[in-house]
Amino acid sequence: DAGVIQSPRHEVTEMGQEVTLRCKPISGHDYLFWYRQTMMRGLELLIYFNNNVPIDDSGMPEDRFSAKMPNASFSTLKIQPSEPRDSAVYFCASGSQGRKDTQYFGPGTRLTVL
Amino acid sequence: AQSVTQLDSQVPVFEEAPVELRCNYSSSVSVYLFWYVQYPNQGLQLLLKYLSGSTLVKGINGFEAEFNKSQTSFHLRKPSVHISDTAEYFCAVSDTGLYEKLTFGTGTRLTIIP
């Protein structure tokens, strides 16, 4: 199994630009999570989906952030417009209904907003 | 809502020495507890978990943790560390009724000194 795949691995952009992060969960998993990791705030859950439906987006910082899961094998996290304070590592993780107690993390996308 | 406190942000330990990484949690409901490990430039990986039963749980790579309900703690231990244990360790908690939603601590960076 390829594990959770995230792209790009690194993204450098300028303030005001739109950024799209992508995630492919493990095949057969029906939960998908987006996290943000910063030095100041640690690892925060932004949003998670079950069967492609957003269940809890209370961690999404503001309207500039949006996430979609159009099908079971693909999700995006979009920031528009981006700001320097959005610089962080963004992780995607997936899990299955039968094993909700275990999440499998991707390698992360390191975002730098100049 | 739950919260997790990892008091030690960095722990240096000599190779082959024992180590304990501390984790305390706060919650008004029953919880599940987890330790995840993040190796450099990688995503998080589940190390061990406490769901129910024996309060002493064993995980991968020789790590173990003990759930202490009265002290609301879930400290991670290893009797003899190796260079390859150098990583960041995250304690996490979830509500037993919603255990796919994890709250993470700020992490402890374990550095092994040769």
Side-chain angles (χ1 to χ4, degrees):
Chain A
D1 197 322
V4 175
I5 299 172
Q6 291 186 246
S7 65
R9 292 294 310 275
H10 302 273
E11 176 81 37
V12 180
T13 190
E14 292 189 348
M15 184 174 62
Q17 296 298 306
E18 178 180 294
V19 175
T20 300
L21 311 182
R22 297 173 175 79
C23 175
K24 177 179 170 56
I26 293 173
S27 177
H29 282 188
D30 39 28
Y31 280 90
L32 185 135
F33 307 83
W34 281 102
Y35 291 90
R36 178 172 67 175
Q37 185 179 37
T38 62
M39 292 290 291
M40 293 298 295
R41 300 174 66 90
L43 197 63
E44 306 170 278
L45 176 64
L46 299 177
I47 184 172
Y48 76 96
F49 297 82
N50 180 221
N51 291 323
N52 313 335
V53 176
I55 302 300
D56 187 334
D57 66 354
S58 59
M60 295 286 263
E62 49 198 275
D63 292 345
R64 297 185 297 107
F65 286 69
S66 62
K68 294 182 180 179
M69 192 164 186
N71 57 61
S73 59
F74 183 66
S75 177
T76 60
L77 177 68
K78 187 175 292 187
I79 308 172
Q80 166 63 16
S82 58
E83 297 182 3
R85 60 193 169 119
D86 301 330
S87 297
V89 181
Y90 291 82
F91 287 103
C92 175
S94 69
S96 66
Q97 181 68 30
R99 289 288 307 276
K100 289 193 292 184
D101 56 16
T102 301
Q103 295 184 19
Y104 297 83
F105 283 74
T109 295
R110 182 173 295 276
L111 173 65
T112 302
V113 183
L114 303 174
Chain B
Q2 302 92 28
S3 66
V4 177
T5 301
Q6 293 182 248
L7 288 172
D8 305 308
S9 59
Q10 297 186 63
V11 173
V13 180
F14 284 103
E15 194 173 12
E16 298 184 5
V19 68
E20 178 180 85
L21 306 183
R22 296 181 293 169
C23 172
N24 288 89
Y25 69 92
S26 173
S27 177
S28 58
V29 298
S30 296
V31 298
Y32 292 146
L33 293 156
F34 308 82
W35 276 98
Y36 277 79
V37 59
Q38 184 181 24
Y39 297 106
N41 299 314
Q42 295 185 27
L44 280 71
Q45 175 184 357
L46 181 66
L47 199 55
L48 49 77
K49 60 192 174 189
Y50 170 78
L51 304 181
S52 65
S54 173
T55 57
L56 182 64
V57 292
K58 295 187 183 298
I60 61 173
N61 301 336
F63 284 92
E64 63 181 31
E66 186 156 19
F67 171 52
N68 188 318
K69 189 174 182 179
S70 62
Q71 297 186 6
T72 60
S73 68
F74 190 55
H75 300 331
L76 181 70
R77 302 185 183 98
K78 186 171 182 178
S80 176
V81 295
H82 189 267
I83 288 286
S84 60
D85 294 322
T86 296
E88 187 136 18
Y89 292 80
F90 292 90
C91 184
V93 64
S94 69
D95 178 345
T96 57
L98 192 66
Y99 55 101
E100 66 269 21
K101 188 173 181 180
L102 296 175
T103 299
F104 283 88
T106 50
T108 297
R109 184 173 300 277
L110 176 63
T111 302
I112 308 303
I113 305 165

